[in-house]
Amino acid sequence: MTIGILDPFSGIAGDMTLGALVDCGLDPAWLLALPGRLGLDGVSVRIRDVVRGELACKKVDFDIPPQPHGRHLSEIRSIVARSDAPPDVRARADAAFLAIATVEGAIHGVRPESVHLHEVGAVDAILDVLGSIWGFAMLGVDTVYCGPIALGDGTVESAHGTLPVPAPATLKLLEGLVVRPGPAGSGELVTPTGAALVRVLSAGRPPSGFVVRRSGLGAGTKEFRGRANALRLILGDPVGLPGDDQTSRGLDIGTHETVVSLAADIDDMPPEYVAAAADMLRRSGALDVVLMAATMKKGRLGTRIEVLARPADAGRLEQILLTATTTIGVRRQVLERRVLPRRQRAVIVLGHRVAVKETTLPNGETRAKPEFDDVLRVAQATGRPAGDIFALTAEAAQARRYEPDAVPAGVSAEGPGPARQGRPEGPDDHSHHSHDHTHDHSHDHEHHPRSGHDHPHGHS
């Protein structure tokens, strides 16, 4: 198992991430061929050795010819879906673009589907996002963590006037993540693409201990006197996993990660609608949703909804909680949790495939649990009681009669695709908003002269 740790001490952008990946061993030939694999004709890639603050870094740039038109979210998602990237890579890239479009749409009053990326900026963002996520997979990175993100300082000029750094959409994408202002005089350090990558990749703050295997630096475009404008990436091995000498001593098995707890109390909503809201939150990516009885003001009986979310998903789930229920406020708390290593396996029961979740315990032993949905499906197909199917599955798992092709986590044993996630709702499809930022992103992201920058735009 390999982990990746992003150290955005000078911000983060898509090109910086690609540069750091190349410096950590990503095959340059693979990146050079990426535009052609995505059907982006005429686009070329330049990979250079540069120096930032006396440190040798890799710099990645795209040369993009004039494009016939900009691209809406649906067109970008279609390019991602048609790519030959692994399913989990496509799913994360899709989530990144949906996140960008959702926050831009919310800020400017349009539906995510109406958000529009300008011509060159759209191609640039596709290569940055899909290339970075796919690049981590190519290097065998299972989990990505992220340290505190330097935001920069000052203001940027846009068509809507002077805006503070970070820009509103970027700040929305960073909700739930650890950030810090500065360094002084640096201007804007985080692009929307960089923020979206952290949002969909990061499992939280870096672990307290790991074995360093390799490190690399991806250069930004601006050069600062006396300090390096670069993104550092560290590849390493986690400690405390099965096979370590710590396992026999029952030490720190599992991953410590940051999560966000959202809570709201409701006393004026029919219970079946509260349950429906909880289901919507689960479908939309919540790690867990719990409903608890509560006594409200004046002795009224109510329900407390508690949602556990990844930091990257907290803002979106909070919005769903506020719109799908009658609550007028949500409490938010940042927590740490320890998660035991697990993998999805499968056994054959009565001729049917049943998924089994196998967990590694602190003492190194494993525990297996049949997935209920598959147990119920096989029970209905065979006419046997669900309890019988559960027992047969547990017996097969205990004997470790697993199928050789393990079922990826989060995927049904009967279907190859990732679990569907709910789509946040937005204003009416017909609403439009003209949005033409002119931010200077030259610090992090060298844009084609015709591109403006990589913000998505409301199409007028």
Side-chain angles (χ1 to χ4, degrees):
M1 179 178 181
T2 301
I3 62 172
I5 298 173
L6 294 168
D7 180 14
F9 62 87
S10 188
I12 183 170
D15 59 343
M16 298 170 79
T17 307
L18 287 171
L21 287 165
V22 171
D23 207 26
C24 278
L26 180 65
D27 185 2
W30 176 86
L31 184 57
L32 293 171
L34 183 60
R37 294 178 70 168
L38 299 179
L40 300 173
D41 298 331
V43 178
S44 60
V45 184
R46 286 181 290 125
I47 303 174
R48 297 177 287 144
D49 293 312
V50 300
V51 174
R52 294 290 183 265
E54 305 304 320
L55 296 178
C57 310
K58 293 292 185 181
K59 183 76 176 72
V60 174
D61 294 292
F62 299 117
D63 295 318
I64 304 172
Q67 300 294 301
H69 55 76
R71 288 176 169 88
H72 285 88
L73 174 63
S74 60
E75 297 174 83
I76 295 173
R77 296 177 78 179
S78 178
I79 292 174
V80 171
R82 291 196 309 268
S83 76
D84 60 344
D88 57 336
V89 170
R90 295 199 304 268
R92 281 189 165 178
D94 184 82
F97 285 114
L98 180 59
I100 293 172
T102 299
V103 299
E104 281 282 355
I107 288 171
H108 298 291
V110 299
R111 291 181 62 84
E113 293 81 0
S114 299
V115 171
H116 182 266
L117 275 167
H118 284 300
E119 291 83 353
V120 177
V123 175
D124 193 82
I126 292 167
L127 292 167
D128 280 343
V129 170
L130 188 59
S132 295
I133 296 172
W134 200 347
F136 276 106
M138 294 287 291
L139 290 177
V141 175
D142 300 282
T143 307
V144 178
Y145 300 95
C146 187
I149 304 169
L151 298 176
D153 69 349
T155 60
V156 289
E157 297 299 324
S158 78
H160 302 286
T162 302
L163 298 176
V165 168
T170 302
L171 190 59
K172 276 283 187 185
L173 288 167
L174 294 173
E175 287 182 353
L177 300 168
V178 179
V179 300
R180 58 180 174 83
S186 56
E188 189 172 37
L189 296 186
V190 182
T191 67
T193 299
L197 283 171
V198 176
R199 184 182 179 101
V200 300
L201 285 172
S202 176
R205 288 180 290 179
S208 56
F210 53 92
V211 179
V212 177
R213 295 301 181 194
R214 191 159 184 173
S215 62
L217 291 165
T221 299
K222 273 188 179 179
E223 297 188 53
F224 295 107
R225 191 169 186 175
R227 67 178 182 86
N229 175 31
L231 171 70
R232 181 162 65 173
L233 171 63
I234 302 169
L235 302 184
D237 300 329
V239 295
L241 289 178
D244 286 348
D245 60 356
Q246 302 180 62
T247 299
S248 60
R249 304 196 298 271
L251 296 181
D252 198 22
I253 302 298
T255 301
H256 289 78
E257 62 184 23
T258 301
V259 294
V260 177
S261 174
L262 306 172
D265 294 330
I266 301 166
D267 64 359
D268 58 349
M269 191 174 177
E272 56 265 45
Y273 291 95
V274 175
D279 288 340
M280 179 184 296
L281 289 161
R282 294 186 186 102
R283 291 194 305 270
S284 298
L287 296 171
D288 199 4
V289 182
V290 178
L291 304 179
M292 295 177 289
T295 302
M296 312 289 285
K297 292 186 299 183
K298 302 179 182 178
R300 294 195 297 265
L301 296 179
T303 302
R304 174 168 296 174
I305 302 183
E306 288 195 358
V307 181
L308 201 63
R310 297 179 181 85
D313 297 331
R316 178 171 52 82
L317 294 173
E318 183 179 78
Q319 183 176 352
I320 293 173
L321 194 53
L322 288 167
T323 55
T325 74
T326 56
T327 188
I328 58 174
V330 175
R331 296 181 296 279
R332 177 189 285 228
Q333 188 176 11
V334 178
L335 307 172
E336 283 195 4
R337 71 170 184 169
R338 177 179 171 185
V339 182
L340 294 176
R342 60 267 179 73
R343 63 181 300 192
Q344 204 85 344
R345 310 296 296 271
V347 298
I348 300 298
V349 174
L350 301 179
H352 295 266
R353 189 181 180 94
V354 181
V356 176
K357 183 183 294 180
E358 185 183 70
T359 303
T360 302
L361 304 178
N363 62 4
E365 297 178 358
T366 58
R367 178 176 60 205
K369 178 185 177 183
E371 294 287 6
F372 173 75
D373 287 346
D374 280 3
V375 169
L376 184 60
R377 173 180 51 77
V378 176
Q380 292 171 342
T382 61
R384 297 280 292 272
D388 287 359
I389 304 302
F390 181 94
L392 291 170
T393 304
E395 178 186 354
Q398 186 174 10
R400 304 193 67 79
R401 296 198 296 270
Y402 292 125
E403 289 293 282
D405 52 335
V407 182
V411 180
S412 167
E414 292 295 315
R420 291 172 60 93
Q421 292 190 356
R423 177 179 298 177
E425 296 183 5
D428 183 80
D429 269 326
H430 298 289
S431 61
H432 299 279
H433 189 88
S434 177
H435 183 50
D436 185 23
H437 282 308
T438 56
H439 297 184
D440 176 14
H441 282 271
S442 59
H443 161 64
D444 283 339
H445 209 79
E446 184 175 342
H447 297 277
H448 193 283
R450 291 177 293 276
S451 69
H453 74 11
D454 68 351
H455 274 309
H457 300 272
H459 181 62
S460 58

